Amino acid sequence: MPRHCVLPSPLTAITRTVTVAAGRFAPGHLGELTAVVPFELVDAVLAETRTVQQRLRDLPSRVGIYFLLAMCLFPEVGYRLVWDKLTAGLSGMPVVCPSAKALRDLRRRIGSAPVRALFEVLAGLLARPTTPGVRFGPYRTVSFDGCSSLRVPDSERNRAWLGRTSHHGYPTLELMTLVETGTRALVGAVFGPTAEGETGYAGRLLHLLRPDMLVLWDKGFDSNAFLAQVTDTGAQVLGRLRSNRRTPVLTRLADGSYLSVIGTVKVRIIDAQIAVTCADGTSFTGSYRLVTTLTDARRHPATALVGLYHQRWDHESAYYALRHTIMNGRNLRSGDPAGIEQEMWSLLTLYQALRTVMVEAAEALPGTDPDRCCFSITLHTARDQVVQAAAVITDPAGAGHLGLIGHRILTRLLPPRRQRVSTRKVKSPMSRYSTRHEDGRPDTSRTITGLDINILEPPQCRPQLPAVSRDDRHTALAERRRHRILGLLEEDPNRLWRPRDIASHFGDITMETMYRQLSRWAETGLIHKLGPGLYAATAWTPTPLA
């Protein structure tokens, strides 16, 4: 049965009521965060993963789960000091005093399965439909992004799993997450060696997408196959294209964007030039090339989509909170892959619990943007709560019953986000970003006073192709489109054909049809794709110079 004790606190004059379990389970708590990760939930995931202790020990499995979360909450101290912080608020109650080896054995006995199951229960969208900053029209905005700067101890087992990176001595873990941009909540996460690549990891999270989501991503996800996989889920897309990507102009739209096709997916392309003026008078321009499946220019103007794309950077704030606010730039603890996996799921679970408290506090005051809640204040108050007690107070502004964490968040809200520009800094002399190309951007963060978005229309080129393709269903086999095109390619097997050239040659095929069919035939091996928009009948190699 839960046991209640009242403890004084130097943090506030308000009495705080702490709910802790009885007996050997007493050290298993996280202060106010226990309400987000309750005893019943922890017991359920332990039972589901069959990791409940076979006999009642001094260190039960439930206590081990809370110890793992506290271990990530206090990354700067060792096992024994983490345990001391968990039990510091339990004065007058008999608690065990385990050795560091006993706590290490507790970690091994629990494994990673229950912590991963706990994260999967807590992960998900946190915002309500009325929460500010989380929607674009009817769509919830989410984003994909990877983080490859999480370092682990340089042990033999970690190197065998992750390999060694070229720009520093520590093995590096690749973390891929799907994040709700407005709240920075984790919808899903996977991690592993960096060799697999971002799109490979992101493909494991596609089952979390829904038709009411708008997915944002940067140009690292520019892939025909990945775009097709995302659109197959029913979700909408707004991403950035590489500068060398060539897309056909199928239909010009009134706002300067145009309809195109990538692989077999019908898309809309937006070329934009952004002129930025800073408070000190400096100015510079940047170019963006965006792709979206929102093809209706009247409902979704190009300038609105360009303005929306910057929300993708909310994802970087989530990684900053993980790497620097919680971990304070430290390496992970574990020296083997099993321990790293357990520690990562614990870290992600703790992060999601903190975000849950922040969003709940913002929703206590209607109209409060979760972006104004300070993650650092939330983290430090949660640490104090673990050491001391959990508080329930009545907010004087009338926000209802809040814990001390929520109270501090609402009384120390950040100002509304201002427009500003900053450049990524090189924090390590061995960083792979040791040099930065001169692009006119300032070296320090500056406030933006002027922002001019200019949509660039595609250049006028060759005459328009037919708007409707010829129906080949009732024509003779030798006169059908596939046979005619294959015959054309085989006439000169070494020539590299572009879809427009083929469509212009016949004069009865639209560009959209041409791109889709050439892409399908290349996937089945009927023809060869030798580059972006380049096709041939056989594999082509240049003639060697004499």
Side-chain angles (χ1 to χ4, degrees):
M1 294 294 293
R3 177 176 174 181
H4 300 274
C5 59
V6 178
L7 300 173
S9 167
L11 300 177
T12 176
I14 301 175
T15 302
R16 291 194 256 144
T17 304
V18 183
T19 302
V20 297
R24 292 182 173 93
F25 295 95
H29 74 94
L30 283 179
E32 284 186 31
L33 293 182
T34 311
V36 182
V37 192
F39 304 148
E40 297 80 7
L41 175 58
V42 174
D43 290 340
V45 296
L46 288 170
E48 180 184 354
T49 56
R50 299 181 179 180
T51 48
V52 181
Q53 67 279 346
Q54 296 299 313
R55 57 183 176 83
L56 187 57
R57 304 166 179 258
D58 286 337
L59 297 176
S61 296
R62 183 209 290 176
V63 173
I65 295 293
Y66 287 106
F67 171 77
L68 288 172
L69 299 178
M71 183 184 72
C72 297
L73 196 61
F74 302 100
E76 71 281 0
V77 298
Y79 290 165
R80 281 289 302 126
L81 289 179
V82 172
W83 182 263
D84 290 344
K85 291 179 182 294
L86 270 178
T87 57
L90 304 177
S91 58
M93 300 180 63
V95 292
V96 68
C97 186
S99 65
K101 180 183 181 302
L103 294 170
R104 183 176 68 249
D105 293 342
L106 175 63
R107 285 191 61 186
R108 292 175 177 174
R109 174 161 53 88
I110 293 174
S112 62
V115 198
R116 178 174 184 173
L118 182 60
F119 169 76
E120 291 174 349
V121 171
L122 295 179
L125 304 171
L126 295 180
R128 297 178 182 176
T130 56
T131 302
V134 299
R135 285 186 171 271
F136 180 74
Y139 302 106
R140 285 180 178 264
T141 55
V142 297
S143 67
F144 277 117
D145 200 10
C147 173
S148 58
S149 58
L150 289 167
R151 297 179 298 185
V152 304
D154 189 16
S155 67
E156 183 177 348
R157 286 176 289 181
N158 285 343
R159 285 197 304 271
W161 178 41
L162 300 174
R164 187 188 291 273
T165 56
S166 59
H167 51 279
H168 56 71
Y170 292 101
T172 303
L173 193 72
E174 176 81 23
L175 171 64
M176 173 60 59
T177 56
L178 179 66
V179 163
E180 183 181 34
T181 57
T183 63
R184 281 90 155 171
L186 297 178
V187 183
V190 290
F191 53 85
T194 57
E196 183 169 339
E198 288 188 330
T199 55
Y201 282 117
R204 303 185 194 178
L205 301 176
L206 294 181
H207 65 282
L208 300 172
L209 298 180
R210 305 188 320 210
D212 66 337
M213 290 181 176
L214 174 60
V215 188
L216 312 179
W217 66 56
D218 63 13
K219 58 185 177 182
F221 295 86
D222 183 7
S223 163
N224 290 19
F226 186 70
L227 175 63
Q229 291 172 355
V230 173
T231 54
D232 286 344
T233 67
Q236 302 297 327
V237 168
L238 176 62
R240 191 174 179 183
L241 294 177
R242 292 188 175 94
S243 58
N244 62 350
R245 164 79 78 167
R246 295 184 177 181
T247 52
V249 181
L250 302 181
T251 305
R252 299 170 184 271
L253 302 178
D255 62 352
S257 61
Y258 59 92
L259 299 182
S260 185
V261 62
I262 293 180
T264 59
V265 181
K266 187 175 181 180
V267 296
R268 176 177 163 211
I269 306 297
I270 303 171
D271 287 313
Q273 188 176 59
I274 304 176
V276 179
T277 304
C278 300
D280 61 351
T282 59
S283 62
F284 64 93
T285 59
S287 298
Y288 277 83
R289 195 175 205 200
L290 304 181
V291 59
T292 181
T293 53
L294 301 175
T295 56
D296 191 340
R298 291 177 296 178
R299 295 182 60 188
H300 310 108
T303 52
L305 292 176
V306 173
L308 172 69
Y309 179 73
H310 84 281
Q311 291 190 14
R312 193 203 68 78
W313 291 99
D314 288 355
H315 211 130
E316 301 292 343
S317 299
Y319 285 145
Y320 187 90
L322 273 171
R323 294 176 300 177
H324 299 287
T325 309
I326 296 179
M327 297 297 297
N328 198 20
R330 293 179 173 84
N331 296 354
L332 298 178
R333 298 173 184 260
S334 306
D336 60 272
I340 290 294
E341 184 177 357
Q342 182 192 63
E343 189 175 353
M344 276 299 302
W345 289 122
S346 303
L347 179 62
L348 295 171
T349 301
L350 173 65
Y351 172 89
Q352 185 70 1
L354 293 169
R355 285 293 180 192
T356 301
V357 172
M358 294 170 65
V359 175
E360 289 177 352
E363 290 175 350
L365 285 179
T368 302
D369 192 337
D371 190 44
R372 298 183 59 192
C373 298
C374 181
F375 191 89
S376 179
I377 290 175
T378 307
L379 175 66
H380 287 93
T381 309
R383 288 173 174 171
D384 293 338
Q385 288 289 284
V386 170
V387 175
Q388 299 183 33
V392 177
I393 64 176
T394 300
D395 182 66
H401 291 284
L402 290 173
L404 182 62
I405 300 177
H407 177 71
R408 285 194 174 181
I409 290 172
L410 293 182
T411 54
R412 304 182 188 183
L413 287 175
L414 299 173
R417 179 186 293 183
R418 66 189 188 280
Q419 289 187 337
R420 58 192 176 94
V421 62
S422 60
T423 303
R424 285 182 175 177
K425 290 293 183 182
V426 178
K427 299 180 178 64
S428 170
M430 302 180 68
S431 171
R432 57 179 174 171
Y433 301 109
S434 57
T435 59
R436 180 173 66 87
H437 297 293
E438 183 59 39
D439 55 3
R441 297 179 64 179
D443 291 331
T444 57
S445 178
R446 302 181 186 181
T447 302
I448 295 175
T449 56
L451 194 64
D452 184 23
I453 300 175
N454 182 28
I455 305 300
L456 305 178
E457 296 186 6
Q460 294 290 340
C461 51
R462 285 165 278 187
Q464 287 288 98
L465 294 172
V468 179
S469 296
R470 190 183 72 170
D471 188 354
D472 279 359
R473 289 176 297 179
H474 305 295
T475 59
L477 188 64
E479 295 297 323
R480 291 188 180 178
R481 185 176 302 119
R482 185 175 68 173
H483 290 75
R484 291 189 296 151
I485 293 175
L486 291 179
L488 177 65
L489 268 58
E490 290 172 357
E491 289 179 4
D492 187 359
N494 291 330
R495 177 176 174 179
L496 303 183
W497 288 89
R498 297 189 182 279
R500 174 173 283 277
D501 298 335
I502 300 175
S504 300
H505 179 82
F506 292 106
D508 58 359
I509 308 173
T510 65
M511 281 291 291
E512 182 176 345
T513 300
M514 193 75 269
Y515 265 88
R516 287 184 176 182
Q517 294 198 334
L518 289 176
S519 180
R520 291 194 186 102
W521 297 341
E523 290 176 358
T524 58
L526 193 62
I527 60 176
H528 297 273
K529 184 174 183 180
L530 305 174
L534 296 175
Y535 297 87
T538 59
W540 179 87
T541 56
T543 304
L545 297 176

